[in-house]
Every structure is written in structure tokens, then in C-alpha cells.
Amino acid sequence: GPAVSGAHNTIVCARAGKDLVSCLASGLLTIGDRFGGALDNAAKQFSEAFDAGLHPSDFVNNMR
């Protein structure tokens, strides 16, 4: 599907012998709107939980 470009770029970068940070950045920087906005929604949820003073383990339990 259209969302595999991040994984593909990470793999290609790793196979080219780049360092871990470069490989990870290569994949992460490819993420865009075609990924369905999952990262934006996750960031919004994390931010709301932080603002509410929710403990991380409580956040994880509530999200299950």
C-alpha cells in the first residue's frame, strides 16, 4: 500500500550501511498524510493525557 514508504526507506538506508539514527530519520521523515493521520491523532492523545496529568501507565491502561 501507499504507507510502506517509511519502512522501505528505513530498510534501504540500513542496507546502505548508514547509522541507526539516519535510518530511523529516513523512515520517519517519509511519514505524511497518506499514513492516515495516525501520528497526528496519537500525538493529540498523548498531549491531552499529559495536560490532564494522567500517569503514563494509566494512559496505556485506558487506551486498551
Side-chain angles (χ1 to χ4, degrees):
V4 299
S5 58
H8 176 77
N9 286 352
T10 302
I11 293 167
V12 169
C13 192
R15 294 293 302 251
K18 295 294 185 179
D19 60 284
L20 178 63
V21 174
S22 297
C23 296
L24 183 59
S26 173
L28 290 175
L29 294 172
T30 308
I31 294 173
D33 292 340
R34 296 197 68 178
F35 277 72
L39 291 179
D40 292 338
N41 289 334
K44 181 180 175 188
Q45 290 173 339
F46 295 147
S47 179
E48 289 171 354
F50 179 80
D51 292 343
L54 196 61
H55 191 272
S57 62
D58 294 333
F59 173 73
V60 171
N61 288 332
N62 288 339
M63 294 308 293
R64 278 192 226 170

